[in-house]
Structure formats: C-alpha cells, structure tokens
Amino acid sequence: MATFENLLYSLDSASGILTITLNRPAKLNALNAATIEEIREATQQALDDPQVRGIILTGSGEKAFVAGADISELAALNDISGRRAAERGQEAFCMLEESTKPVIAAVNGFALGGGCELAMACHMRVASENARFGQPEVNLGLIPGYGGTQRLTQLVGKGKALELLLTGDQIKPDEALRLGLVNHVVPLAELLPFCEQLMTKILSKAPLAVGLVIDCVNAYYDKEMNGYQTEANSFGHSFASEDFREGTAAFLEKRPAVFTGK
C-alpha cells in the first residue's frame, strides 16, 4: 500500500468504510499538485482494494474541508502548465465521481475553489453547520479548473451556478441545502458519525446494484452516452447477479438479504 504525506488513509476493516482525510491543516488543507496526485493515488488504491466498500472524504481540523488551491503554486503557472494542472485535477476528481464504490464528502468548514470542486465530485455531500461553499476564482482573475463550472451547474442549475461563479460569493450550509448542493447539514461534532451511518445504510444494499446505479446516474450527464440505454443494459446485467437471486429469495422468504457483490 502507498503511503501519503498530505492525506490520512484509514480503513475500518469491519465495516469496509475508508476515511481519507486531507491533512494540511497549516494551509487549511489547500490543494497543491502533490495533494491532487495523492488523491488520485488513494482513490485508485481504494478502488483496487476489495476490503474497501465505501469512501468518506474529509479535511483535518475544524476550520476547513479544503479552503481552495495553493495560491503560491498557482501564481507560478502559465497558460500551458495551467491547462495541464486543470487536466490532472479533473482526472483525479473524475476518478471519485466514477467510482462504483460510494463516496461521501464530509464537509467540515471551508470548501472553497478546488475544495468545493472536490466535494462536488463526490456522490453525496454532508456539511457541518460551520461549512462555507464557494467558487471565488474570479477574484484572482481565474475560473474553476477542476470541473467546477460543470458540476455546480449540474447540481444547482444554470442561473444560480452562474451567479455563484461570477460573483465569487460564499454560501452557508442552509443555502447549500436549499439549492441541492449538499444532502444534509449536521452539527460539526456529528459530521463523521452521520456520514458513517449513511454509508453503513448504503453498504447494507447489494454492492453490484449500488455500483450500477452510480454508473446510470453519471451517464445522464455524459453527452457521449445514452443514459436510458445505460440503465436498460445495467438493469439486464443485474438479473445475472447472485445478489439479485439472494435479494429476491430473501424478500420472498421474509428474511434479511446477505449480499456478496457477485
């Protein structure tokens, strides 16, 4: 297993829940190139590990999930290196979005710029009451580069996304909840336990079906795919699974199902 300098990688082998913690508290967990690469490596490691069934992504400390990108590093980029940095960030974040293992962002504190983009790449977002969301890149003469213009529009709609992107305004968690940017808002002390409880509920379902649902929902936003056809193909595929036979048998026999992900 890889070791990380900017992340904490903690797997609960009993539950199968992996917690990845962005761990640069002195920088409010700001994203630099090394951290983005570690996110990519950690995600790949999690996807390859059969013991990992679900992922919770959070930030160290109480002030920030990820307060943004590392500005000192951005200041050294030019048009060519900037485009490459965006491509690497998009690649890493797409791995999270396309993971067939569920990913929940536990957003503690600031989720600004790249931090908001990272949270949006996760399948669900749970925010603490002190969380703040925003894409303030226009204040630096920049735009979001890690998928923010696309995912924010998908989550909150074109008009509100443009307002947030063009003003650089931050919003509080109650507004984020109203807009559909987050799924739940909880007190900070309850954030990780709530996410673990939500993940445990998801992991009690058939793993193959969970992964197929994620694929189908993602297909809706992929211009190169037919979401309805993806759903039909996946629906048919699920009938060939052992989990389908177990799930239907358990229902008919009025007992809890024991899924194996096969």
Side-chain angles (χ1 to χ4, degrees), residues 95-215:
M95 287 182 67
L96 287 168
E97 184 175 56
E98 295 169 4
S99 164
T100 54
K101 299 179 181 183
V103 184
I104 298 175
V107 182
N108 51 315
F110 292 111
L112 305 177
C116 189
E117 292 175 291
L118 179 59
M120 291 191 294
C122 299
H123 301 137
M124 286 156 278
R125 286 147 295 284
V126 179
S128 62
E129 292 174 337
N130 69 323
R132 296 293 183 272
F133 297 86
Q135 298 287 167
E137 286 88 348
V138 290
N139 295 324
L140 299 173
L142 291 173
I143 71 167
Y146 304 150
T149 62
Q150 306 303 295
R151 293 191 179 98
L152 185 61
T153 304
Q154 292 168 8
L155 288 166
V156 307
K158 181 179 178 180
K160 194 62 183 182
L162 279 168
E163 179 183 341
L164 293 172
L165 291 164
L166 297 178
T167 63
D169 285 348
Q170 296 181 26
I171 58 173
K172 295 180 179 180
D174 56 345
E175 176 73 355
L177 181 64
R178 186 183 70 80
L179 291 173
L181 182 57
V182 302
N183 298 70
H184 302 277
V185 178
V186 299
L188 179 61
E190 299 175 16
L191 180 61
L192 283 178
F194 183 94
C195 289
E196 290 165 358
Q197 182 180 36
L198 177 59
M199 183 65 78
T200 298
K201 184 175 184 179
I202 294 168
L203 297 183
S204 72
K205 314 305 178 184
L208 178 63
V210 167
L212 291 174
V213 166
I214 293 169
D215 283 343

Side-chain angles (χ1 to χ4, degrees), residues 19 64-65 80 86 93 107 109 111 128-129 139 148 159 195 203 207 218 228 254 256:
T19 301
F65 173 71
I80 304 301
F93 290 9
V107 182
S128 62
E129 292 174 337
N139 295 324
C195 289
L203 297 183
N218 283 340
Y228 287 100
K254 295 181 172 56

